[in-house]
Amino acid sequence: MTTNYEFDWFDWFCLYYPPGWLIIFNRHWQHYHTDPEGWNWLEYGLFLVPGGFYLALLMRWLRLGCRPPQAQHQEFSPQYQQAFHREILAPIVKHYFRGELQQTENLPQTGPMIVAMNHAGMCFPWDFVALGYLLSQTRSWVVQPLAEVSLFEHPWMIWWLPPGWSQVLGGVRAEWSDFAAATKAGKIILYAPEGLRGPLKGWRRRYQLQKFDVSFVKLSDRYQIPILPVSCIGSESLHPWTINLQGLQKFFKLPFLPLSPLMILLILFPSMGVWGMKTRLRYFIQPLQPATTTANNRRTLIYHQAQQLREKLQQQITQLLLHRH
């Protein structure tokens, strides 16, 4: 039986030295999974020096016979999700992002439900990851985030993180069929109604909610699953001062490609791709919205409901920003 992973001095060093964040995730994975195709210690050491990641990437590519790593595990594992929460996310969320839930009296005791939150940061989705951790700790829920497809299969992502990592941790692909299947199964789903429009808006329009997609209201109506709105303050500072380079983003088929002063460091240390700026993530739980029945599932009425929720969350976020100091 595999012993629990211990967050040791080296992990603390990596936590406060941003190029080491990728090492933390991969070390934890290798503790619980046999992964001969994963990174090794020599390559980890190269992560920590300017430009060393590129040499490490070449060494690993040659070691694998000039081919990309292949997925060994792809099924959701609640046990591994719990271990990752307890052993990795706990110190990161508590000590680095200082995540906290507010207005917890609005939390129901159990699911199923769709947790709808404003999403931002233009970086690794730390606002989602931290909320999933906090909800699981507060209510012992198994929470699964709806994730951009590129987080599962982008050619760059499979080199950074173990192939299948997102699926094993519970990610649901942001495709209609997968979202519908997870909702029908009665799971607790984390959902960003803005979709990629949230992160893509950039620093200049921070905390300005973009148009909501209607899919979560449609599925809430179809399967009679309530919606739990959550307002997040602090996520816009995960990668501040950014604009999105749309041309290059589309060329590389990335969800977003931010340009900011921090990009100079990212070029020197690509292993910082999962890092986020130290901030304080506060989540304000709003009253649960029961599923409503829309006659004939009319799209206009569903669209109106989605935008009503957007306006309500926007008002709450504006008020929270006015009173946060």
Side-chain angles (χ1 to χ4, degrees):
M1 181 176 178
T2 304
T3 58
N4 291 339
Y5 182 91
E6 296 291 336
F7 201 91
D8 60 20
W9 68 268
F10 184 69
D11 295 298
W12 285 109
F13 165 77
C14 290
L15 178 59
Y16 288 98
Y17 184 63
W21 280 45
L22 201 64
I23 299 175
I24 298 175
F25 290 174
N26 280 277
R27 283 187 71 206
H28 187 265
W29 173 268
Q30 291 166 346
H31 182 82
Y32 287 99
H33 302 88
T34 301
D35 188 12
E37 297 191 355
W39 299 104
N40 61 35
W41 273 104
L42 175 59
E43 294 155 355
Y44 283 152
L46 290 171
F47 286 11
L48 305 178
V49 299
F53 181 86
Y54 302 105
L55 178 58
L57 184 63
L58 175 62
M59 292 171 59
R60 187 182 178 195
W61 182 67
L62 292 173
R63 177 163 56 86
L64 296 183
C66 305
R67 63 165 176 82
Q70 299 176 352
Q72 304 295 323
H73 308 271
Q74 292 183 295
E75 296 296 322
F76 173 44
S77 171
Q79 295 76 21
Y80 183 69
Q81 185 195 68
Q82 291 171 8
F84 187 75
H85 283 185
R86 181 178 63 251
E87 298 161 359
I88 298 299
L89 289 187
I92 293 177
V93 173
K94 291 179 181 178
H95 300 287
Y96 190 85
F97 291 124
R98 298 172 293 165
E100 57 185 63
L101 296 181
Q102 304 278 350
Q103 302 171 180
T104 54
E105 65 275 9
N106 291 325
L107 275 178
Q109 292 299 320
T110 187
M113 73 189 72
I114 298 172
V115 182
M117 185 193 76
N118 58 302
H119 177 39
M122 209 180 287
C123 69
F124 189 81
W126 279 111
D127 49 354
F128 256 37
V129 172
L131 178 59
Y133 164 77
L134 292 169
L135 290 175
S136 68
Q137 296 303 299
T138 305
R139 285 288 188 266
S140 299
W141 292 344
V142 176
V143 181
Q144 295 187 243
L146 192 76
E148 165 63 30
V149 175
S150 61
L151 290 176
F152 296 91
E153 58 190 28
H154 193 278
W156 293 3
M157 190 60 66
I158 63 175
W159 286 102
W160 272 353
L161 296 164
W165 187 78
S166 297
Q167 295 96 311
V168 173
L169 279 173
V172 176
R173 295 165 63 94
E175 295 179 336
W176 175 260
S177 57
D178 289 32
F179 184 26
T183 309
K184 184 178 181 180
K187 298 182 177 181
I188 296 174
I189 303 295
L190 283 184
Y191 178 83
E194 298 167 278
L196 286 177
R197 289 183 293 271
L200 286 175
K201 66 179 182 289
W203 179 252
R204 183 173 59 85
R205 292 184 289 168
R206 57 193 180 276
Y207 293 116
Q208 297 177 25
L209 298 188
Q210 306 304 294
K211 186 179 75 172
F212 276 17
D213 193 282
V214 301
S215 55
F216 73 114
V217 178
K218 186 180 293 186
L219 291 176
S220 169
D221 174 63
R222 179 179 299 176
Y223 299 114
Q224 289 297 287
I225 295 174
I227 296 171
L228 182 68
V230 177
S231 303
C232 179
I233 301 296
S235 58
E236 300 282 8
S237 298
L238 288 166
H239 191 162
W241 317 301
T242 54
I243 60 172
N244 185 55
L245 299 177
Q246 293 187 0
L248 287 176
Q249 168 218 333
K250 293 176 181 178
F251 178 79
F252 289 114
K253 298 181 180 179
L254 291 169
F256 41 79
L257 187 59
L259 176 65
S260 80
L262 295 174
M263 291 304 293
I264 298 173
L265 289 175
L266 183 60
I267 293 172
L268 292 174
F269 298 97
S271 57
M272 286 177 58
V274 297
W275 172 79
M277 180 76 80
K278 190 172 185 180
T279 184
R280 182 186 177 195
L281 293 174
R282 292 184 295 160
Y283 301 93
F284 296 84
I285 311 299
Q286 309 302 325
L288 190 70
Q289 295 198 356
T292 57
T293 301
T294 304
N296 300 321
N297 205 29
R298 290 179 59 187
R299 183 174 178 84
T300 54
L301 294 177
I302 289 176
Y303 175 84
H304 182 66
Q305 289 180 14
Q307 302 318 312
Q308 273 190 326
L309 178 58
R310 184 189 68 82
E311 292 170 4
K312 185 177 180 180
L313 279 179
Q314 182 66 77
Q315 292 174 357
Q316 292 165 343
I317 289 172
T318 301
Q319 289 298 315
L320 289 168
L321 292 172
L322 288 173
H323 297 94
R324 66 176 173 177
H325 296 301

